[in-house]
Structure formats: structure tokens, C-alpha cells
Amino acid sequence: MTLALSINEFETEVLQASEEELLELIGKVPVSDEADAFEEKLIQLHNAKEINIINVFLKPNQNTSGGTRYFQKIRVLENILPKLDSEISQVIDCVLHLIRESNDRTVLRPFIDYCSAVPVRSLKGLELIEKTPDSYAVLLMQVLIAGSRVDFDYYFNAALRLVNAENINISRNAILALGRIDYPDSTNLTTQAFVALEARCNEETDDATLANLVDTFSRLYEREPSLEPLFVKAIDKALLKGHDLSLHMASELFGFRCNELTESVISILIKHLQNVNPVNQGTLDNIDYGIESLLGTGKQDQVLRFLEQIMINSEGRISISIFDSVCHKILENQDGILHRIVTRWLLGGKQSLCKAVSDIIHLPHGSDPILSIDSSEIDLGDTNQTYFLARKAIGYLFGRPVSAASIIISLIEVSSDSGILQAMSDLLFNPLLLNYIGKVGDYLKQQISSIESKSAQEAIQAAKQALENYMSDLESVCTVPEFQPPQRNRDAYSRKIQQEMSEAMEQAEKNSVLLSIIPKSILLYGHKSIDYVYSQDGDARRVENPLKRIGNEIELPRLSTLDPQGLSYMVTVFRAEQLNKNETNH
Amino acid sequence: MKLIIKEYLASLRERDELDAIIPDLLSELGLTVLSRPSRGPRQDGVDVAAVGSLDGGEDKVYLFSIKERNLTRSTWDSNSPQCLRASLNQILDAFIPNRLPQEHRSKKIVICLCFGGDIQEPVRPDVTGYIKSNQKNNISFEEWNGDKLASLILTNFLQEDLIPELARSQLRKSLALLDEPDASYGHFSILVRAFSNLENKNENEKLKAIRQIAICLWILYAWAREAENLESAYLSSEFSLLHAWSIVKPYMSMSKQNKTSEQIQETYFRILHLYLQITDDFVDEKVIPYVTKKHALSIVARGSDSLDINLKLFDIVGRLALNGTWAYWFLSTIYEDPEDAARLQSRIIEIANSVKYTIANNPILLLPVQDSQVIDISATLLLLMADSDNRNIISWLENMVERAEFAFLTCGLYPCNLDSYVDLLEHPQPGDEYRQKVTVGSVLFPMIALVAALLNHEELYKRIQAIKREYLSHCNFQFWYPDDSSEEHLYQNSGIHGATLSHVRIDLPMDKFIEQVFGECEESPQFDSLSAVQYNQWPLVLVACRHYRLPIPLHLWKSLWESRTSTDL
């Protein structure tokens, strides 16, 4: 509910209100063009000492009512704060109180404007902070930024001095301030600041301070690109000593500015970011954005190595699916990157990378991605490599059988060795065709006509023939009632499946944004729903909604019923086996 | 009830089926059977001959010519010497003048036209005309059709005063539920138990009981065959055979022979014959056609889940093995007929090959889900051992061990002690505690170790030692041996019996391990005292073990191993 009062009525109410009531009135200031008038009235009354708005916001537990109303009050304060005549000490207390209560730091920018509006405020603020750093150091950066707008030299020097302050919070905030103040053009003050910070960096071991140094180095480098050699050295030093916080700060640079960074800067970032802690989702997200941007550039190789190294170093704790932007970029297969990754990672045989291939290929809904090998990544003269790659593809892409089959077909197309063609044909039949007669069978039918090589056609045909032989053997198999499980077992199995399906349905509903918010009605009979929709004037309109059948079909591997243990064993062996480099050809 | 029996009679084949029950029926009617059906020598139209009085009248000679199903124009009179008219002519022309025993020549003769069904109306005038032309003062004709036979069976075999209504209703239910074999078998087993409750009964009553079992099993089998579902008949035949043995075993001793005991024995052997016919039918019609085709049996056995396939296929392999073992036993009992010996030899090879094909083409047989499936595995191994097929034995067991290792490593479907199907559906569950709970004991792994040791395959033996060490250190590796109470309970599963050698020392070297487990056989001589072993019916022990889910006694392994060792020497 917003205010439906005139300015005069508002003034009267404000003046008559208790502090609690005043806060409520502030919350009702409309979000519209009229707001300025109400806010001006509040400033006027405050500055005339008729009311004390800062005191009102200092009251504890204002956020208990929660929600939009609270943030509406804060918004009003943010708008009027720079114009309020209040003691800086009181304002600092109020700002810190609000940050603590709401964990919302948007009030800091108006605070800077408040400080810079009257020169003495920054000076007094700096004195207060230096005097009681444990309470107020957190606002040092804002006070220094505000002060630098009024008297750059004084506050720049103050910042340089405080970089080496004994109190770590003072030091950390002074470091941040040096990255954020507006340096005058055509001065070498950025270099001066950089050098001072570099010296601090040499001494520093605290991760949070190093993170601030990384942040400020980045900002200074952004402002002054000629600092690059110093920047590379400094950041290397900081990240070498730093931990999660420093790496996170570096990841922000990598994630959001990677397209502006030079080769050497990217290299140094990659060198350190590959040791990212798997639990830091934010850092990983930043890396995701950075890699995604770089994949489309000429730095593809370097980025792929980075990606590989992250996954290998994490020993399975970082899955490629964490990098969702990267996965989607890879799936676009720009410049054949998908095929390159599939070939390289499967052939490498490293579990984390092969798993990554599987995760990427399992990502899209709908039909299986069609893959091909990148012949620059494999020695086609080495039949061991061909055989190994085919089995790895089956092992890791068994749930995407058409993708696995497409790799084998691409291997068949480039192979001439009769032994390997036979082996590929055998693998196409068992396990792919044998398990997925529908999906893989249809895919092979489509492919066989488009393949030019006669030997490749023969190999595929042989696989199809093997399937036909297998199926024709089974044609004579009829139902043998003696082999049917007893009715009680069939009932028990049905109950189990019904329960599992119902639990899965409930879980899916919980996870679904749509289904979790819309109400549900169950129709016990019929195939249409009849509803009456009432208009504003009370007229009822009859609406019939026919129900539609929604279905989804999946093809389960044949052996998952006929020999689940054997299937699981085969997939595990295919996944686990490694290429023996000394082996003779297959 | 009469309709049920009529239906059964109408479905019987002439040879070994309809002609097999007539002598029993005549005996029950108080006649003395002079001759039974045989294949070899000339019978001059008579399938069964009997003498005696029916319904209190004078003694007469009854000559039966038996034909299956309905009497049609072609079975009445055709060019075939097997048609009924030709048989009747032979009786009149050859049997009565030449082969009727001298002492019965003065008696009146009744020629019985016997068939399981009815005379079809178009044929009736011909039959009536024939009878009118050929009946004489001392020769008359009677029609023994399905209706008459059913009435006689009902009043003489299944009469209400001897069989409680409960048992009769069990038979009806077992026939009605043939499509639900477990339920059908359940009802039939109640019936057999009722027949076998013979405490304080005399020999004649026992003879009647065993004949009742035989006729009921025949009825069930005939119906099952018509319904094309032999499962209930298969299970019921095992149960009936074991209960029949309980009845006959006191009469197996040569010193106790009299006419009744001979008839009891005859009936037992007819039940054995029927059991073998049913199991042969099952194996030949339901299993063997599929064994050479990849996955075919698994597909045939496809239930709702791979668990169903696993349970059913080990069951099938066990049945195949038992069928082969009976052939092996028959072979060992035949000394004279080289033709029979060759036939049995080839049957053993056929079954052994079927077992191998079944395993090769159905990889689900490479690891059981229940430890108790060792019963089927042991029966199969025994047959393959008897066939001296060490290579296939080792290959199968190596695969089994490999899959077991993998299953334990990956929490896959490792063999467990769970019995309930519902529990098995939830198996396996994660966690060491669960694994230890469902693998408290094992006969499977020590059994594999024993076979590895017997075949001197140290690598396989060591892998079992490793499984015990790494995954089953808590598990009680054990073997079961019959004890003093086994003879009493084995055939009817009337109580718990036997003793278990607990915590077998798998850590010992192979020879010591063999010494340990076979040494215990020496300490358990009760196996040799089992009546089935004493009277050379030892495959009955395997049938009992398979049917009541008991481990197969190691004595059978020991004697096989000793015979192989002596042959090798």
C-alpha cells in the first residue's frame, strides 16, 4: 500500500508520528515521479531538526517485517542520505547497522556521496575510523574514495600510508581504495600506487589481503595497460601465496574481462586457476564464463588444456557439467571443437576427461548428438588406437548409443585395415545394435546409403546382418507359460515399480518450478474437464478442456534385463581399460 | 469330477498311457490281470487280459483291445493292422483259440472294446453289426468307453469313503489352476500328502494310496499337457515321486516280497516312469528347442525383471542336470541291452550339451543371485563332471567368480541369503552392514572351491580364498551332510534334518581342504544308509534336494571323484 496523501498531509503525519510510525510512513513513499516531493519534504524536516531520520533507521530489527516494504524504506534513505545534515559518526553507525541487518551494501554508494558532499565529513570520518578501526574500518574505502573527490593528494597519500597500517582491516580497505579512486589523467600516480602495493604484496601472506591486492592490481592494470609486465609478476606472486579468496578475485578478472586480456595475463591466470577449490562454486562460475568466451577465439588449445587440467587436478571432484556455459558452447561444435574434444579426451583414457565427454553428450534433451572423430587427434595407422577409441566411446556413451555408433562409423570410414573393420563391425553389433535395435538400427539405415567407402558399407552391413541372424533365431521363440514368474512375484514387482514411479513423480513435481506453484486437480473419470469461468460482472462461461495424452518413450538396453551384470561389467571394463603404448597393433 | 476324469481319459495316448492304467483299474475291480501291454511280442489283438468276477457274478475272462481317444471310422476299420476291427478279428481268430490259458478256456469270454473317448455316431452301426455277427454263447462284447472308465476310476480309485472331499476338491483346484502353476502345485501337494498319510494302514491300503497318487498325477499331467503348461505337473511329479518312495521303500527289500508289495513296487516304478515322461516332455519341448539360440531361453523366461530370468534359468539348468542324471543312472543300471545303452548314452550327451549351450547363450547364468542356487549349480556340475568336461566346468566357474568379484566390488547383484522375492527385488542395497547381513552364510563359494580343488585348479581356488578374505570374512562357509534323521524327513520334507559343517577351512591348501570336507563324509555314513542309496535309487536324493531346496550331499561328489581317480589311475 502506498501513500495517498498530499504533501501537506504527509508533513503533518510525519511531524505527529512516533519513530516507529515515521519509519512506516517512509516505507509508504510512492515509487513514482511524486516521490521527489515527499523525499524533499523529509530532507527539509530532517535538516530543520524537526525529525531525525538517521535515528529512525538505527532502530534494531527493522527487517523483521521483511520483504519489499523494508527495501522501499532503504531506497528512500539511499535517495535522501547525501542531502541530510547529520553527524558523520551517526551516519556511519546507521550505515553499518543497515548493512548488518539487511546484508545489503547498496547504501554504500549514497554514503560516499554523503561524505563527499561536505569536505569535512571525509576528514572526520577518516579520523573516526583510524581511532576505532575495529568498529569502522569496513567503511574506510568509501571514506577515502569520497575524500579523493575533494582532495585527491591528501586522501591518496592517506591510502598509501594506510596500506601498511597495523590493523589488517584498515590495510585491506586502503588497498581496495587505491583501486577504486578516480586518478587524475596524465599522472604516474597509478604506477606509484602499484609499486607501493607490490611492496605490500611481497610481505603479505593473508589470503583476504592478497585477494584485495589482486583486485586492485587488476583495476590499476585496467586503467594503465602499460603496467602489464609488473601486473603479471605481481599477480603471479599474489596467487602463489594466496588461496581461495585470491583465486576467486583472479577468476573474476578471467571471467569478465578475458577478451581484453593479453596472452601472458591469461597464461598466468590459467596457471593458478587450474588449482581452483572444487567447493567454490562462484569461482567455478567465473571460470566457466571465461572459458566460454575464449573457446570462440584463437586460444582454443590453451583453454582446452586449462579445462583438462582443472578436471584432472580435481580428481573427479569437478565435473564438466559445473561449467554449463562451456558445455553448451562445446555442443555448438564451432570449428569442430566437440569432435576434437571427444576424440582427444576418449583416446587419452583419463577417467575424469572421458567422464566429461559423457556428461557433455548426455546434456542435450532429445536425440543423441551425432559425433565424428577428429583425425588430427588420432594416429589412424595405429589400429590399437582405433579399437581403444571405439570401446571407450561405447563405455562412456552407452546411454547415448547413436552418439557412440556415430563415432564407430566415423572410425570405420577412415579405416582400411580388414581386421579393424571387422572389430568395429562386431562392436556395432554387440553391444550397440544388440541393445538398441530401434535407435541404432534406424541410425545405421540412414547412414549406410550416405557412406561412400565400399569396405565401410560392408562392415556396417555385416553388423546389420549379425543382428538379423540373431533376431531370426529368436523369431521361433514363443511364450512358454512354464517359465512365467508366479503371479505373486509379478504383483510384487508391479507394486515396486508403481511405488518407484510415484516417488519419482513426486520428486519431479517438487523440482519443477511450474508444477510446484500451480494447483492440481484430479479427474477421476472422463477425458474432458468442464469448468466455469466467471467474468467481472458475475456471468459464468462454460469451458471444456479436453485432456491430452502425454507420453515419452525410451529404449532400454536389451541386456539390462537379459544380463545386467554382464552389461555393467562390459561397460566398466571399456571405461577402465588403458591403451598400452607398447602393444602391437590390434 | 467324472467330467474331469473323462476329459483326462480322452486325452490319453494309447501306448504307455491309457493301456497303463487299465491293469491297475482291473486289479482294483478285483480281477486278476493275466497279461499287460508289451511292445515286443505278438499280442494277437489283446492289450490286457484279466480273469475274475465283476459285480458278484461268475468268473469270466476279460480281453481288452485298447484304442486312444474317440473311436472313429479310421480307428474302427481301415487298412491299418492297428484298427480296432482288425484287433478284434485277431482276438477271435488267434488269441482265443491259441493263447487263452488252458485253465480259463471253460469260462465265458468278454471282449472289451476299450477307448478313452466315445464311439462316434457314424461308426456305431458298424460296431453294433460286428458285435451281433460275432457274439456267441460263450463270447460276448462290452463297450468300455471313457464314460464307463471314468465311473470305474471314480468309484474304485477315488471313492468318497476313502478320499475325503477335501482331497477331491484339491484335485479339482489343481486342475483348474494349471495356468497358475504354483497354486496348482500347492493344491496337488495337499492331495498327495493326504494320500500319503498312512500311519497304521495295511499293505492293501498302501497299495491303494500309491495307486491313487499315480492316477491323480496322470490326470494332472493329461490336463497339463492339454493346457500346454507342464509346470504344475513337473513340480507335482517330483513331489509325488518322493512321496511314493516313502510308501514303497519298506517293500523294496527282497526279503519282504509278496503280491501286494510287488504291486506297490510296480506302481512306484510307474510313477517314476511318469515322472521321467513329464520331465522329458518338459526338457524336450520347453527347453532344448531354445538352448542353441543366443539369449532365447532368457527371452522365453523374461519376467518383469532380470531377477526373474536369473531365478528361472538356474532352475532350468538344474532341471536339465537332473534329467541327465537320471539318464546316467539308467545307463548304470542297464547291463544287457546295447540299444538302450546307446540311446541313454546319446541322451546324456544331448543333455550335457544342452547344459553347456544354455550357459553359453544365457550369460545371466554366470552368477546366481541367491546362494541357495548352488543346488542347481551343483547338480549341473555333477553331470558335467560325470561327463568329464573339466574345461567347461572351469570356464563356467571362472566366469562366476569373476562376476562375483565385480559384484562385490561395485555393490552389484552378488549372491545373497535372501529368500523372499520382495527382498530380492530390493537387493543389493548400499553399505557394508547390509552386505554382511545378507551374506551370513555360503555354500556356493566353498562348493566352487571344492570343485576347483578336485580339478586341481589352484588359481580358481585362490580366488575363492581372496573373496572370503576381502568381502566375506564374516560369512560362514559351510557344507551340509545328511544325519540320522535324514531318512525320515528327506523324501517328504517333514522336518529339519542333517548337519552342517560350519566355518570350513578355505584357508587350507587344496588337498587339505578336500580332506576336510570329504573326511566329514566318512563321519556321516548316514548318506549310505539312505533308502534311496541302499536300493540304488540315488537320483531321488537329488530330486529331494532340488525340490526341497537342500544342498546336494557331498557324498555324491566324493564317490564320483573316487571313481574318476581310480579310472585315472
Side-chain angles (χ1 to χ4, degrees), chain A residues 76 102 136:
Chain A
V76 173
S102 65
Y136 300 128

Side-chain angles (χ1 to χ4, degrees), chain A residues 416-477:
Chain A
S416 53
D417 180 278
S418 61
I420 203 72
L421 283 170
Q422 179 63 51
M424 294 297 106
S425 175
D426 291 347
L427 286 173
L428 261 188
F429 166 59
N430 187 8
L432 292 179
L433 270 171
L434 193 62
N435 279 291
Y436 299 99
I437 293 168
K439 277 173 106 173
V440 178
D442 291 346
Y443 173 67
L444 291 191
K445 258 185 228 158
Q446 292 161 13
Q447 288 300 300
I448 199 154
S449 55
S450 62
I451 289 171
E452 288 173 7
S453 153
K454 192 162 177 277
S455 56
Q457 274 188 354
E458 283 170 359
I460 296 169
Q461 197 55 50
K464 286 181 68 188
Q465 189 57 51
L467 179 70
E468 273 173 32
N469 295 344
Y470 171 79
M471 293 308 290
S472 72
D473 263 359
L474 297 181
E475 266 169 22
S476 59
V477 172

Side-chain angles (χ1 to χ4, degrees), chain B residues 185-389:
Chain B
Y185 160 72
H187 290 296
F188 195 85
S189 59
I190 294 172
L191 177 83
V192 172
R193 273 201 203 99
F195 287 145
S196 314
N197 187 8
L198 295 169
E199 216 171 314
N200 304 323
K201 297 284 168 74
N202 63 32
E203 273 183 4
N204 284 330
E205 286 167 319
K206 287 178 182 174
L207 174 61
K208 186 173 277 295
I210 197 169
R211 280 179 172 167
Q212 284 168 333
I213 291 173
I215 193 85
C216 287
L217 183 60
W218 254 114
I219 293 171
L220 181 73
Y221 171 50
W223 275 67
R225 203 164 50 181
E226 288 296 306
E228 296 185 341
N229 189 339
L230 294 177
E231 184 64 6
S232 171
Y234 187 101
L235 297 173
S236 301
S237 71
E238 285 186 327
F239 193 76
S240 303
L241 178 67
L242 293 167
H243 279 70
W245 178 254
S246 290
I247 297 171
V248 76
K249 65 184 184 182
Y251 304 100
M252 291 300 284
S253 163
M254 296 300 283
S255 59
K256 290 186 183 173
Q257 296 297 336
N258 60 30
K259 194 179 170 201
T260 310
S261 70
E262 276 175 15
Q263 286 178 319
I264 290 174
Q265 278 191 38
E266 274 172 24
T267 313
Y268 162 74
F269 282 112
R270 277 206 292 287
I271 291 174
L272 173 60
H273 187 262
L274 179 54
Y275 157 80
L276 291 171
Q277 183 173 342
I278 293 170
T279 55
D280 278 350
D281 274 6
F282 179 85
V283 164
D284 291 337
E285 289 170 20
K286 311 287 180 170
V287 182
I288 288 182
Y290 303 118
V291 295
T292 55
K293 294 168 183 170
K294 187 84 180 163
H295 295 152
L297 273 177
S298 300
I299 287 168
V300 171
R302 180 183 282 184
S304 319
D305 191 59
S306 62
L307 172 63
D308 295 320
I309 303 178
N310 189 296
L311 298 176
K312 183 43 85 177
L313 257 67
F314 275 100
D315 179 53
I316 288 172
V317 166
R319 293 186 191 196
L320 271 175
L322 235 66
N323 193 268
T325 305
W326 276 106
Y328 183 81
W329 170 80
F330 261 117
L331 182 66
S332 68
T333 58
I334 288 173
Y335 303 104
E336 287 166 9
D337 189 341
E339 212 172 283
D340 271 356
R343 185 179 53 79
L344 286 165
Q345 190 67 55
S346 103
R347 178 66 174 174
I348 293 167
I349 292 168
E350 183 188 22
I351 296 294
N353 285 340
S354 297
V355 166
K356 291 173 214 166
Y357 280 127
T358 304
I359 295 168
N361 286 323
N362 298 281
I364 204 153
L365 284 170
L366 298 182
L367 188 64
V369 70
Q370 287 177 302
D371 193 84
S372 58
Q373 285 166 307
V374 67
I375 299 160
D376 308 299
I377 295 168
S378 302
T380 310
L381 289 171
L382 264 176
L383 179 72
L384 295 178
M385 278 284 249
D387 195 32
S388 301
D389 192 347

Side-chain angles (χ1 to χ4, degrees), chain B residues 402-417:
Chain B
E402 187 163 273
R403 287 202 173 195
E405 289 164 342
F406 179 70
F408 281 123
L409 191 68
T410 58
C411 194
L413 280 166
Y414 51 81
C416 64
N417 298 127

